[in-house]
Amino acid sequence: SNSTLSKWLNLTLLASNHTNPTTNHTLRIYRTHKSMRDIDADAEEMRNLLKSENNVFSDLCQLGNDSKASQIVFCVHGAGGCAEQFRYLLDSFSKDVSNVVYAFDWYGHRESFNENGNEWHEYGATKLEKDLDFFVETCLEEYRQRGWSEKPRIIFVAHSYGTGILMRLLRSKVEEFAMENKSSYVELIDKVALLSTTDSCPKVAQSVLWRLPVFLVEWIRPWLSNLNKRIMYHEATSEEEVNYWKDIASKNSIAMMKALCRQMEWYTLEDANYLHESMPQWKFLLLSGENDQVTTPNDARNVAEACNADMAVIAQCSHNLMVER
């Protein structure tokens, strides 16, 4: 809706570019820390859903009246997505001034796009993990400079391939923490929400389609766009909403999408179980759309079992559930 878009535009005023020296990637990072009024119905609905159906998140936005931020929410989108996909959640989380919310556009996506961003090697899973680690460390540094809570609670909210990269990164960070026994942000993590996740690399990323030359994929792009619409969104999702995100996706580089999909790597069920056993204080939540054909609820249940997560299957939703409801 226009009201939600207006709120998002206010959030982008708090955006800045940061270049990761380990990957030479420039990332667009967004921050909000303010109380918002007139949260629209979709945001309020999702907020109530997280509070009522999933008790592990029951205190998500109830942290008292501390004037300083005491909780950080990191939002991580998936392949071909953007930070704005979390706009309803951003509005909801930032309603409480105890929260500071950070989101970013992956390299080559939306506001992090650049003319030289089509190099194949730039989209390997290892580079993306380094970018995510850089994003978290950069935001934590800003947080500390603002003099907010010394030991904030960290919540991760990731979607689709964002869950794949996040879980792989968390595995490596926990192993590093255990070996080196030095301070790490893994000590601050309280909750991890995985939206539209699965127990192995999605089949759509392994499609023969991504073995075709870029020019040929560009040629069939209108057909792909219509297919994507049927796969990614439930039929109950408004046409206006679908067309808005369809227009954004149409600006993604096919070369980038091919590089992402061909090099996609995923976490394993053993990784999920390792994180649960190594960090038993972490609480996991999985949300799946009932009609999701990319990361099916059945596959997500395997992950939920491995990390002892709470799980909910959201009615009238498909893969992009955070913008559908």
Side-chain angles (χ1 to χ4, degrees):
S1 68
N2 289 332
S3 61
T4 305
L5 281 174
S6 296
K7 291 170 192 168
W8 175 256
L9 291 174
N10 286 334
L11 295 180
T12 60
L13 294 176
L14 299 174
S16 57
N17 290 322
H18 300 266
T19 300
N20 183 352
T22 66
T23 61
N24 200 32
H25 289 176
T26 298
L27 306 175
R28 185 74 161 168
I29 295 177
Y30 306 88
R31 173 180 58 80
T32 178
H33 173 58
K34 58 182 179 179
S35 179
M36 288 189 163
R37 301 293 183 262
D38 301 322
I39 304 301
D40 74 26
D42 287 334
E44 198 66 36
E45 185 177 6
M46 179 63 83
R47 183 169 185 260
N48 290 335
L49 176 69
L50 288 172
K51 289 174 63 179
S52 62
E53 291 193 12
N54 305 286
N55 56 21
V56 74
F57 268 37
S58 62
D59 61 340
L60 190 60
C61 299
Q62 304 298 323
L63 296 176
N65 297 315
D66 189 346
S67 61
K68 294 183 178 181
S70 57
Q71 179 168 260
I72 304 176
V73 182
F74 290 112
C75 298
V76 187
H77 71 78
C82 61
E84 190 184 350
Q85 288 179 309
F86 294 100
R87 66 190 191 194
Y88 299 129
L89 291 176
L90 283 169
D91 286 344
S92 180
F93 293 152
S94 59
K95 186 176 183 180
D96 190 310
V97 296
S98 295
N99 296 329
V100 57
V101 185
Y102 290 96
F104 78 115
D105 291 329
W106 284 108
Y107 179 72
H109 293 68
R110 201 70 186 278
E111 298 299 323
S112 297
F113 175 78
N114 65 76
E115 294 298 329
N116 298 315
N118 289 333
E119 303 93 337
W120 180 274
H121 66 279
E122 298 293 350
Y123 296 102
T126 300
K127 283 217 170 188
L128 298 180
E129 288 173 44
K130 289 180 179 178
D131 279 344
L132 179 54
D133 188 40
F134 171 77
F135 162 64
V136 175
E137 293 284 10
T138 299
C139 294
L140 284 172
E141 180 60 29
E142 186 212 37
Y143 181 94
R144 296 184 188 105
Q145 290 176 357
R146 290 178 178 275
W148 289 331
S149 173
E150 290 185 10
K151 290 189 175 181
R153 300 196 307 173
I154 290 178
I155 291 177
F156 282 103
V157 181
H159 175 250
S160 195
Y161 191 27
T163 70
I165 295 299
L166 173 63
M167 292 289 276
R168 283 169 53 88
L169 173 64
L170 292 180
R171 169 79 191 242
S172 66
K173 296 296 288 187
V174 169
E175 288 180 335
E176 179 183 280
F177 174 65
M179 290 176 59
E180 300 181 8
N181 195 28
K182 64 179 182 180
S183 181
S184 169
Y185 60 75
V186 300
E187 300 174 274
L188 305 176
I189 296 174
D190 185 38
K191 301 181 176 78
V192 179
L194 306 176
L195 282 57
S196 303
T197 195
T198 184
D199 57 3
S200 60
C201 188
K203 291 182 175 60
V204 67
Q206 304 172 50
S207 169
V208 67
L209 169 74
W210 299 116
R211 296 186 178 276
L212 297 176
V214 169
F215 79 88
L216 191 54
V217 182
E218 286 282 10
W219 184 63
I220 62 173
R221 190 165 191 162
W223 174 79
L224 286 175
S225 180
N226 289 327
L227 178 63
N228 182 72
K229 177 180 175 180
R230 293 197 301 271
I231 292 176
M232 297 294 180
Y233 301 95
H234 191 277
E235 60 183 9
T237 307
S238 74
E239 196 71 17
E240 180 184 8
E241 192 77 32
V242 172
N243 287 337
Y244 179 78
W245 298 110
K246 182 179 175 182
D247 181 62
I248 289 177
S250 69
K251 298 177 175 63
N252 285 330
S253 160
I254 290 296
M256 176 193 75
M257 293 303 299
K258 179 176 179 178
L260 280 170
C261 290
R262 287 287 302 278
Q263 300 177 91
M264 187 174 288
E265 296 183 44
W266 210 261
Y267 65 92
T268 65
L269 291 178
E270 192 276 327
D271 291 331
N273 184 252
Y274 172 85
L275 291 176
H276 165 60
E277 293 188 347
S278 300
M279 309 299 285
Q281 71 273 26
W282 292 3
K283 303 177 185 67
F284 288 89
L285 168 69
L286 272 66
L287 296 181
S288 292
E290 65 172 349
N291 282 43
D292 191 345
Q293 301 174 53
V294 180
T295 54
T296 69
N298 283 339
D299 291 337
R301 287 189 182 94
N302 295 331
V303 179
E305 182 177 344
C307 60
N308 194 33
D310 281 2
M311 180 175 171
V313 178
I314 313 302
Q316 295 189 321
C317 282
S318 186
H319 188 66
N320 287 337
L321 71 169
M322 71 279 204
V323 301
E324 295 178 271
R325 289 284 303 270

